[in-house]
Amino acid sequence: MELGMDKNAKIAIVTGASRGIGLAISKILIQHHYIVYGCSKNPENCNFTHANFKLDKVDLRNPVQIQNWIADLKKLDQIHILIHNAGIGFFKPMEELFPSEIISMVNLHLTAPMLLVNSLLRNLKQQEGRIIFIGSIAGTKVSPWGSVYGATKAGLIHFGRELFGELRKSGVKVTNIIPDLTNTDFYKDLNFRTDDDPRSFILAECIANSVINVINQREGTVISEVIIQPERFKIKKKNNNLNQKLE
């Protein structure tokens, strides 16, 4: 079956769809008869293929690339769901962050979702569709070395809350999904990772299941915010310097 040939399928846009949470969400949406148009900075690293999965190469930190991708998305007849999941994290003392790292987090967590919503909202209103933001528990509390990451995720969460209030009479449903430590390769280049205890992290599939739960609510009921946390709190630290800073 060619992409889009399923006449009963609805269209979902998923950012950061090549791995981790975004890929898990894309897979479960396809299982529930959605056509997924995803984007990734490095789509060549994705090992998943499906007739109803299209993955475009887009660096959402670059507003020009966002606008070009939006122009392609606007050619679609209908868009039912927009899920902004793409994220990046740099965790250092404020004075040690590179300006490029600050700009990357602001652009990816705030500018990109705002531009996508701004451009696709009329289409979503026509379908009485849905917007879902994948935030972070870091946006709800203070964490060592996470000032910019936490601030941008807090901004994304607040953006979702503002949109919920603005759009609730339009038929467009808005949800913030706020996960805690998730066992993905997000931590690959960081100085800490999830602990080995399976009760100390959640899985990407847990968040994907939450997306489906949000979508499957009765007409008129909106789950506007979901916080997903592991039973226990543990972090595996990769070096002694971080031990001293985080304890």
Side-chain angles (χ1 to χ4, degrees):
M1 180 174 59
E2 295 179 3
L3 190 72
M5 292 300 290
D6 184 353
K7 295 181 179 180
N8 296 318
K10 295 181 178 181
I11 291 176
I13 309 299
V14 181
T15 68
S18 67
R19 60 192 179 98
I21 295 170
L23 182 57
I25 291 171
S26 298
K27 288 179 177 179
I28 202 167
L29 286 172
I30 291 167
Q31 291 173 14
H32 285 77
H33 308 293
Y34 282 84
I35 298 169
V36 175
Y37 287 82
C39 75
S40 168
K41 181 166 65 78
N42 301 114
E44 64 276 6
N45 295 333
C46 181
N47 57 11
F48 174 74
T49 59
H50 192 279
N52 277 357
F53 182 58
K54 183 176 186 292
L55 189 60
D56 292 322
K57 183 178 180 64
V58 185
D59 187 345
L60 292 175
R61 300 171 299 180
N62 185 324
V64 174
Q65 291 192 32
I66 295 174
Q67 295 291 359
N68 290 338
W69 191 48
I70 286 171
D72 289 338
L73 295 178
K74 282 188 170 182
K75 297 174 185 177
L76 301 173
D77 291 335
Q78 301 175 348
I79 298 174
H80 299 86
I81 301 177
L82 170 62
I83 301 178
H84 182 66
N85 156 78
I88 192 169
F90 301 100
F91 298 85
K92 304 175 185 178
M94 185 64 192
E95 71 273 16
E96 294 182 13
L97 283 167
F98 294 110
S100 60
E101 294 172 336
I102 295 172
I103 292 168
S104 290
M105 288 186 280
V106 171
N107 283 356
L108 194 53
H109 301 157
L110 291 175
T111 305
M114 290 179 179
L115 289 176
L116 286 166
V117 172
N118 173 257
S119 298
L120 301 178
L121 187 53
R122 286 183 175 86
N123 194 307
L124 287 163
K125 283 183 175 180
Q126 290 173 0
Q127 306 305 320
E128 294 194 352
R130 191 177 298 275
I131 300 168
I132 298 176
F133 297 121
I134 308 300
S136 169
I137 200 73
T140 68
K141 62 182 182 179
V142 176
S143 301
W145 296 10
S147 57
V148 176
Y149 179 80
T152 57
K153 286 294 188 176
L156 179 63
I157 292 168
H158 191 72
F159 180 49
R161 291 170 178 170
E162 292 279 2
L163 280 180
F164 173 79
E166 176 181 332
L167 300 177
R168 63 191 309 180
K169 292 183 180 180
S170 73
V172 177
K173 284 74 70 176
V174 182
T175 300
N176 283 323
I177 296 181
I178 306 172
D180 203 334
L181 292 166
T182 308
N183 192 24
T184 68
D185 63 359
F186 176 82
Y187 306 95
K188 180 178 64 174
D189 298 322
L190 300 179
N191 289 326
F192 64 97
R193 64 176 178 85
T194 54
D195 192 80
D196 298 327
D197 182 353
R199 295 189 179 188
S200 68
F201 57 78
I202 57 178
L203 300 175
E205 289 74 16
C206 302
I207 300 167
N209 287 331
S210 182
V211 168
I212 294 302
N213 184 45
V214 165
I215 292 171
N216 286 341
Q217 294 302 304
R218 60 169 284 277
E219 191 66 30
T221 296
V222 181
I223 299 176
S224 60
E225 203 152 286
V226 181
I227 297 177
I228 309 174
Q229 294 181 279
E231 179 181 347
R232 298 171 181 170
F233 176 74
K234 294 180 183 179
I235 295 177
K236 199 79 169 181
K237 302 164 188 177
K238 296 181 181 177
N239 61 55
N240 291 330
N241 288 334
L242 193 64
N243 286 345
Q244 296 170 5
K245 291 289 184 179
L246 290 184
E247 287 177 349

